[in-house]
Amino acid sequence: MTRFDGEMSPAFEIVEPAQWRAPVIFNSPHSGSTYPDEFLAASRIDLPTLRRSEDSFMDELIGHLSERGFPTVRVNFPRSYVDVNREPYELDPRMFSGRLPSFANTRSMRVAGGLGTIPRVVGDGQEIYRERLLVDDALGRIETLYKPYHRALRRLINKVHQMFGTVVLVDCHSMPSVGVSRDEPRRPDVVIGDRYGTSCTPLLPDRVEETMTGLGYSIGRNKPYAGGFITEHYGNPASGLHAVQLELNRAIYMDERRRERSARFTQVASDFGVLADVLATTIPFGDLGPFQAAAE
């Protein structure tokens, strides 16, 4: 059974504000950069290559928001080890020795691409493991890392919902500046994902776009990223739960090759503060609760 004490403790961190300003949660599920020794030993690729899958420094870009009145969530283990932005059991049977449980989802598009709950490849398609993994190892990672994170996130969402009557979850990610396909057009600075209008009130992505455009960022909607499991699973506007995914182009805040913060890093972090303030002061949260949403 995989344990997560010592080298990678805590597995994730939730920082609640001393004074709450609004029911807006900022979440960074893919910026974890603490790699277990046994994971590195089992990998056929080196650490710099594994780190290409990280949303590097995204947790730092939003970390200061707890001081401004907003709860923040960060995951410390890497997504290449366990990806919390997947269903709990999206598993590729080709990766494991032993039989997967019958309830495992082995046929999703994400599994087919090698990017299940326990990824088979890193973002650029390179295979991670030298040998097949034991099924019990995969299930252990899910029990000790994936499930506790989602239980804690759900508790936080429920707490905010009880306090304010509604919740806005801003799921923060970063994307490579250039896509794998040469046919893909230049990526914008920010891609807003709302599962094509199903995960939140339209007012939320509209307000994000207005704010970020005003700060000088170019914006895309739902392509190439419409939102993953977290946005889809926790976004339920009819219940007053609104989730939006933000994908930030890494080139605007870091040197992608050296994996270092760029000169613009501080400004981008400040702009997240501006966005949080705008959401807190201009979103009519009283109109986003379950009864109002259900009546639309």
Side-chain angles (χ1 to χ4, degrees), residues 2-294:
T2 299
R3 295 185 62 82
F4 201 73
D5 33 73
E7 61 178 325
M8 293 192 301
S9 182
F12 55 86
E13 297 170 78
I14 295 176
V15 181
E16 296 186 14
Q19 298 290 330
W20 293 71
R21 289 191 60 198
V24 183
I25 301 168
F26 288 86
N27 180 49
S28 177
H30 282 166
S31 52
S33 59
T34 303
Y35 289 76
D37 290 338
E38 50 91 4
F39 177 48
L40 295 176
S43 174
R44 61 189 296 175
I45 54 182
D46 60 16
L47 180 57
T49 304
L50 285 171
R51 295 199 67 190
R52 292 176 189 169
S53 289
E54 285 177 25
D55 292 349
S56 295
F57 311 124
M58 179 54 65
D59 52 346
E60 295 182 30
L61 289 173
I62 66 170
H64 64 101
L65 297 180
S66 58
E67 301 171 3
R68 304 174 74 107
F70 306 92
T72 60
V73 186
R74 62 185 289 181
V75 170
N76 293 327
F77 54 87
R79 66 177 299 189
S80 54
Y81 187 65
V82 180
D83 193 339
V84 297
N85 199 25
R86 300 289 182 262
E87 297 174 24
Y89 296 100
E90 285 188 87
L91 299 171
D92 186 342
R94 296 172 295 175
M95 291 179 59
F96 304 104
S97 58
R99 184 183 296 275
L100 290 173
S102 59
F103 51 78
N105 180 354
T106 63
R107 298 180 179 274
S108 76
M109 291 295 293
R110 292 180 289 219
V111 167
L115 297 172
T117 316
I118 309 295
R120 177 172 52 83
V121 302
V122 289
D124 57 1
Q126 295 191 59
E127 297 273 345
I128 295 175
Y129 296 99
R130 291 192 181 95
E131 301 175 350
R132 291 192 175 200
L133 302 177
L134 296 175
V135 167
D136 285 348
D137 180 41
L139 300 181
R141 295 184 199 182
I142 293 167
E143 289 296 326
T144 58
L145 299 175
Y146 179 100
K147 288 186 177 180
Y149 162 79
H150 279 283
R151 282 196 296 266
L153 180 59
R154 173 60 71 185
R155 283 196 299 269
L156 177 63
I157 289 172
N158 289 342
K159 177 177 180 176
V160 175
H161 196 256
Q162 290 173 4
M163 290 172 62
F164 293 93
T166 189
V167 182
V168 169
L169 176 64
V170 183
D171 202 38
C172 300
H173 299 256
S174 68
M175 59 184 173
S177 57
V178 179
V180 176
S181 172
R182 294 182 179 180
D183 297 329
E184 184 180 330
R186 178 188 177 279
R187 288 182 169 177
D189 297 332
V190 181
V191 174
I192 304 168
D194 64 356
R195 302 294 300 182
Y196 295 96
T198 63
S199 68
C200 61
T201 172
L203 178 62
L204 180 56
D206 288 349
R207 193 57 46 84
V208 172
E209 180 169 358
E210 292 167 8
T211 303
M212 299 306 283
T213 299
L215 292 169
Y217 295 85
S218 58
I219 304 296
R221 289 278 194 112
N222 289 311
K223 294 181 181 180
Y225 303 104
F229 172 78
I230 290 172
T231 309
E232 181 179 21
H233 182 69
Y234 292 105
N236 184 358
S239 297
L241 307 177
H242 303 266
V244 64
Q245 178 177 286
L246 301 186
E247 289 275 358
L248 189 63
N249 191 315
R250 291 174 193 157
I252 69 176
Y253 73 92
M254 65 178 282
D255 182 318
E256 292 180 272
R257 184 176 62 84
R258 297 182 177 179
R259 200 164 300 283
E260 297 174 350
R261 303 166 192 79
S262 68
R264 198 179 171 191
F265 184 89
T266 301
Q267 182 60 55
V268 174
S270 176
D271 290 341
F272 266 97
V274 173
L275 175 63
D277 290 344
V278 168
L279 295 181
T281 56
T282 68
I283 296 289
F285 297 108
D287 296 335
L288 303 185
F291 299 106
Q292 291 85 352

